[in-house]
Amino acid sequence: MATALPLDEMRALHEGWCDLWRGDFARAEEILDPGFVVHQARPDGSDSRAVTGPARLLPEIEQTMAAFGGIDITVDVGPVVDGDLIAARWTMRATNTGGIPHATAPVGTGIAFSGHDILRVRDGRFLEYWTCTDILDGLTQLGAVAGPNGPTRG
């Protein structure tokens, strides 16, 4: 079992993680283990663990950046470090660029939604990632869901 990094190094590693989500991929190979695994419920039912390493995460970040403009991600709580785990709660604020299917909100509409991340570190790199994102809140703000939380579509 690898020894946990000192607290300041774990926090610096988390800042590198935040940089990835802000579109700075310069350190991706350095901070993401080649076997990096995402544990995430996928809306399309696909296996989030089928692809590993930077090749798994970076396209997802790029898709997020393509769907939204003016992305600003803030860490609201954390990072909380316990052994080889880092946890944080974050909020993403962005504007609709028209890239979300079924969205009825005008391009330029501002949205905000939050999520929680838990990351496992091994040998100074991220090895595993669990996320719980309230994307339903964001989709509701864009008018992209039907029912009590969004517009009804015919």
Side-chain angles (χ1 to χ4, degrees), residues 18 21-22 64 70-75 90-93:
C18 293
W21 284 95
R22 293 178 184 120
T64 301
I71 294 174
D72 178 43
I73 299 174
T74 57
V75 177
W90 50 265
T91 298
M92 182 178 112
R93 291 171 184 80

Side-chain angles (χ1 to χ4, degrees), residues 26 44 48 68 72 82 85 94 121 126 146:
D44 63 2
S48 70
F68 300 104
D72 178 43
D82 186 6
L85 297 173
V121 175
F126 293 112

Side-chain angles (χ1 to χ4, degrees), residues 54-148:
R56 167 57 182 91
L57 183 67
L58 301 184
E60 187 166 320
I61 295 172
E62 289 171 333
Q63 289 174 344
T64 301
M65 296 179 81
F68 300 104
I71 294 174
D72 178 43
I73 299 174
T74 57
V75 177
D76 304 320
V77 178
V80 177
V81 177
D82 186 6
D84 64 348
L85 297 173
I86 300 174
R89 177 175 172 76
W90 50 265
T91 298
M92 182 178 112
R93 291 171 184 80
T95 56
N96 177 22
T97 61
I100 300 293
H102 310 294
T104 59
V107 169
T109 298
I111 67 159
F113 59 90
S114 298
H116 302 268
D117 294 343
I118 300 173
L119 299 137
R120 182 178 307 281
V121 175
R122 182 180 69 193
D123 299 326
R125 290 178 161 183
F126 293 112
L127 180 64
E128 293 183 89
Y129 170 44
W130 294 265
T131 185
C132 180
T133 303
D134 192 0
I135 191 64
L136 180 59
D137 185 26
L139 293 173
T140 299
Q141 293 170 53
L142 293 173
V145 293

Side-chain angles (χ1 to χ4, degrees), residues 29-43:
E29 299 286 333
E30 174 189 339
I31 67 172
L32 297 175
D33 189 271
F36 175 79
V37 174
V38 176
H39 303 279
Q40 178 185 43
R42 303 290 301 168

